[in-house]
């Protein structure tokens, strides 16, 4: 029998707990996207159909439509980059599974949220924490018949049986890798073990595959994490280059069948730890990694094409596809009316939908630049890399430096840093009006890492 009910912190006012624990959860980026398509069943509450989960995104790409909460921020670990580390002096709180389940249902009924993202610090040990998460999800699904989206954390080091049981109730699970190398993990999060993280991920993957082989279908029986698994990498807390990070992501997609790798730019949490950088990395770095990740997953690129041992980091001024194209000008210009789909996808300014429209349109006629624009192609960028019926849009021949200048000049300014500052200053996910979840005090804004 769990004895956490005895804990004095459980007596804390519910709103106070919410304030503390939603703030502690706010920088975990791995909650986005559902991918579930389960409909409500008779007598249940909620639905996880794609259209039923309207994700709101903050300007820096974080999901704000889920009830994003920690079970507790009372962590026994001491990860240097995390606000919830045991050595940090901050208010602590602990929810019971019953409280979180009740809150989720109440918030859902009031239309505040459309699902739950449940994470936790390591409270006592991974098994104990995982059991609390499992109990929460069980109460929601069994007692309240909550059918909405649930993303639950898998605690590395927890009993695989507990993770498996939770996975049959959740839509998505994630075990966060956090640091892009074992060396950095040992330095900054000494209690975390690479082996335990990968073991949790393998456990989730093998249960997903097992479920697929047995042909579970959502209509007949809830499958194992039907929306798959994801993970998060912290960017800039350790010295790994974009090349290392992107290669890692590529390997993760290949090895663990991940749905997503999320990148979270490090936010300094302490001024006195020599192991950590003083400044946070530019948010544009996080943005470039997301763009590159997209190229890996949908555009047929691999990490070794985008970066190399010699060129280890993305140009902050240029999107990764344009950077690649400018380094491979011998492949251009591409003739729009002849290039195959894979090559069209590699042209800056041509997205997947535009490439599909081009392929379809040109079966009936040759495309001109005017028609190309109507397919959604961003000619401001594509113009340097394509011809239509042998014609260039640019009158003069430009060298790589001039093209780069023109592309950068054509970009709308990225206002991510400003947006993020704004988001920080007003707080995130204000559930009960501005007086309830107050803006975080300076100095305790931080990412939550593994959680
Ligand atoms: S990253 Fe996770 S395990 Fe590490 S201190 Fe933070 S909450 Fe605890």
């Amino acid at each position: 029998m769990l004895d956490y009910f005895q804990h004095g912190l459980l007596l804390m006012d519910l709103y106070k707990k919410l304030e503390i624990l939603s703030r502690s959860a706010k920088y975990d980026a791995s909650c986005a996207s559902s991918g579930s398509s389960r409909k409500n069943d008779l007598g249940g509450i909620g639905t996880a159909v794609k259209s039923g989960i309207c994700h709101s995104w903050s300007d820096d790409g974080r999901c704000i439509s889920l009830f994003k909460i920690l079970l507790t921020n009372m962590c026994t670990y001491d990860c240097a980059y995390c606000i919830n580390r045991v050595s940090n002096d901050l208010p602590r709180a602990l929810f019971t599974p019953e409280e979180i389940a009740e809150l989720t249902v109440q918030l859902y009924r009031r239309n505040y949220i459309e699902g739950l993202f449940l994470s936790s610090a390591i409270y006592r040990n991974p098994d104990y924490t995982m059991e609390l998460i499992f109990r929460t999800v069980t109460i929601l699904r069994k007692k309240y018949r909550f059918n909405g989206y649930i993303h639950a954390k898998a605690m590395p080091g927890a009993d695989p049986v507990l993770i498996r049981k939770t996975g049959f109730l959740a839509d998505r699970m994630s075990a966060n890798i956090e640091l892009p190398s074992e060396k950095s993990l040992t330095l900054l999060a000494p209690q975390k073990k690479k082996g335990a993280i990968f073991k949790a991920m393998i456990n989730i993957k093998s249960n997903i595959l097992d479920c697929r082989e047995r042909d579970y279908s959502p209509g007949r029986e809830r499958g194992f994490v039907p929306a798959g698994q994801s993970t998060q990498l912290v960017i800039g807390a350790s010295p790994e280059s974009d090349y290392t990070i992107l290669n890692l992501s590529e390997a993760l997609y290949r090895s663990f069948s991940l749905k997503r790798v999320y990148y979270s730019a490090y936010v300094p949490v302490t001024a006195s730890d020599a192991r950590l950088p003083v400044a946070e990395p530019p948010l544009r770095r996080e943005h470039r990694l997301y763009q590159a990740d997209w190229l890996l997953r949908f555009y047929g690129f691999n990490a070794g094409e985008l970066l190399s041992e010699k060129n280890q980091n993305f140009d902050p001024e240029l999107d990764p596809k344009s950077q690649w194209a400018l380094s491979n000008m011998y492949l251009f210009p591409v003739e729009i009316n002849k290039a195959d789909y894979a090559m069209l996808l590699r042209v800056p300014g041509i997205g997947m939908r535009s490439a599909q429209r081009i392929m379809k349109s040109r079966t009936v006629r040759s495309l001109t630049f005017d028609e190309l624009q109507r397919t959604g192609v961003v000619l401001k960028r594509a113009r340097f890399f394509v011809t239509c019926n042998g014609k260039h849009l640019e009158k003069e021949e430009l060298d790589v430096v001039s093209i780069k200048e023109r592309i950068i000049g054509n970009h709308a300014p990225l206002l991510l840093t400003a947006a993020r500052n704004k988001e920080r200053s007003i707080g995130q996910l204000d559930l009960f009006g501005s007086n309830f979840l107050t803006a975080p005090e300076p100095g305790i804004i931080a990412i939550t890492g593994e959680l």
Side-chain angles (χ1 to χ4, degrees):
M1 180 70 182
L2 297 170
D3 63 354
Y4 58 88
F5 294 101
Q6 313 301 325
H7 203 289
L9 283 168
L10 290 172
L11 301 176
M12 185 188 284
D13 178 75
L14 204 58
Y15 284 0
K16 186 70 189 164
K17 289 185 193 182
L18 256 178
E19 182 186 347
I20 293 170
L21 292 172
S22 60
R23 184 186 298 169
S24 280
K26 65 186 283 186
Y27 286 99
D28 193 320
S30 60
C31 66
S33 182
S34 81
S36 279
S37 56
R38 188 183 58 260
K39 290 200 169 95
N40 192 6
D41 53 2
L42 203 62
I45 297 173
T47 170
V49 293
K50 281 171 191 157
S51 58
I53 298 177
C54 306
H55 294 119
S56 273
W57 298 87
S58 57
D59 288 344
D60 61 357
R62 289 181 167 84
C63 175
I64 57 171
S65 66
L66 305 176
F67 179 33
K68 187 176 177 183
I69 197 77
L70 294 192
L71 217 144
T72 180
N73 62 350
M74 298 171 61
C75 200
T76 54
Y77 288 9
D78 201 28
C79 307
Y81 51 85
C82 179
I83 189 175
N84 299 316
R85 65 192 185 279
V86 65
S87 60
N88 198 22
D89 183 18
L90 85 164
R92 305 281 175 174
L94 170 71
F95 274 122
T96 64
E98 290 77 7
E99 283 172 336
I100 291 190
E102 168 76 16
L103 270 169
T104 303
V105 171
Q106 292 297 334
L107 291 169
Y108 189 89
R109 286 187 172 134
R110 285 171 172 77
N111 241 359
Y112 279 109
I113 53 124
E114 294 169 82
L116 170 68
F117 172 73
L118 180 58
S119 187
S120 181
I122 304 289
Y123 181 53
R124 299 193 178 181
N125 58 58
D127 275 343
Y128 196 89
T129 314
M130 196 68 232
E131 184 164 354
L132 293 178
I133 289 175
F134 168 65
R135 286 198 50 173
T136 308
V137 179
T138 303
I139 293 167
L140 270 168
R141 294 295 195 213
K142 307 277 186 207
K143 179 179 171 188
Y144 292 105
R145 303 197 66 197
F146 179 72
N147 205 33
Y149 179 74
I150 297 178
H151 178 153
K153 279 285 166 189
M155 295 291 135
D159 187 332
V161 176
L162 273 173
I163 293 177
R164 179 178 162 84
K165 281 161 67 179
T166 307
F168 275 103
L169 297 169
D171 290 278
R172 173 171 285 187
M173 291 188 87
S174 55
N176 284 356
I177 292 179
E178 304 292 17
L179 296 166
S181 75
E182 193 168 8
K183 192 176 165 197
S184 294
L185 200 66
T186 308
L187 181 70
L188 299 177
Q191 286 124 321
K192 291 188 175 181
K193 300 292 168 237
K194 178 183 147 194
I197 299 168
F198 282 172
K199 197 173 160 194
M201 293 172 81
I202 290 167
N203 179 9
I204 295 170
K205 181 193 170 184
S206 56
N207 277 305
I208 291 171
L209 294 178
D210 187 43
C211 210
R212 261 187 225 149
E213 275 169 23
R214 287 163 196 256
D215 192 27
Y216 282 97
S217 75
R220 285 196 286 119
E221 190 174 345
R222 188 185 298 280
F224 185 87
V225 289
Q229 68 166 321
S230 58
T231 192
Q232 172 176 275
L233 292 171
V234 177
I235 306 305
S238 50
E240 291 81 10
S241 65
D242 293 346
Y243 180 57
T244 303
I245 291 165
L246 208 61
N247 270 303
L248 174 61
S249 298
E250 190 172 70
L252 290 171
Y253 283 124
R254 209 174 35 236
S255 308
F256 298 108
S257 313
L258 288 189
K259 285 280 182 193
R260 288 293 303 272
V261 175
Y262 291 94
Y263 307 93
S264 184
Y266 164 70
V267 180
V269 291
T270 171
S272 57
D273 194 328
R275 294 172 297 172
L276 291 164
V278 178
E280 60 190 286
L283 203 59
R284 217 177 265 202
R285 184 177 177 203
E286 180 187 287
H287 183 60
R288 294 292 177 234
L289 282 164
Y290 272 118
Q291 289 178 318
D293 186 279
W294 202 261
L295 295 180
L296 293 188
R297 289 185 296 133
F298 301 114
Y299 285 74
F301 284 88
N302 60 59
E305 288 178 288
L306 297 169
L307 292 169
S308 64
E309 291 288 347
K310 270 190 178 168
N311 179 24
Q312 297 242 347
N313 291 299
F314 288 113
D315 185 335
E317 300 296 332
L318 208 57
D319 67 278
K321 205 207 271 191
S322 296
Q323 186 178 336
W324 171 82
L326 288 175
S327 307
N328 293 277
M329 283 307 280
Y330 71 94
L331 295 171
F332 299 99
V334 161
E335 170 51 49
I336 284 293
N337 291 296
K338 288 189 182 149
D340 63 21
Y341 180 69
M343 193 60 212
L344 287 176
L345 282 182
R346 291 184 166 236
V347 177
I350 298 185
M352 288 166 62
R353 217 173 276 176
S354 305
Q356 285 158 10
R357 287 189 191 129
I358 291 168
M359 296 297 284
K360 199 172 165 194
S361 305
R362 74 185 194 190
T363 57
V364 287
R365 64 183 180 282
S366 285
L367 296 179
T368 63
F369 279 109
D370 280 346
E371 286 161 331
L372 195 58
Q373 197 154 27
R374 284 199 284 276
T375 64
V377 169
V378 183
L379 274 183
K380 283 179 179 177
R381 257 177 289 155
R383 62 192 298 137
F384 308 108
F385 305 98
V386 298
T387 55
C388 280
N389 300 310
K391 291 186 185 144
H392 294 262
L393 196 58
E394 284 298 313
K395 299 278 180 276
E396 49 182 330
E397 197 163 319
L398 297 168
D399 60 16
V400 168
V401 176
S402 308
I403 296 174
K404 180 179 171 181
E405 280 171 5
R406 300 270 291 269
I407 290 175
I408 292 170
N410 284 336
H411 271 316
L414 284 172
L415 299 174
L416 291 171
T417 304
R420 188 179 218 192
N421 288 340
K422 185 175 168 218
E423 185 253 327
R424 281 182 192 153
S425 69
I426 61 173
Q428 180 187 6
L429 197 63
D430 195 348
L431 295 171
F432 300 102
S434 55
N435 292 333
F436 177 62
L437 290 185
T438 52
E441 301 107 33
I444 63 164
I445 297 168
I447 56 162
T448 49
E450 152 44 43
L451 299 175

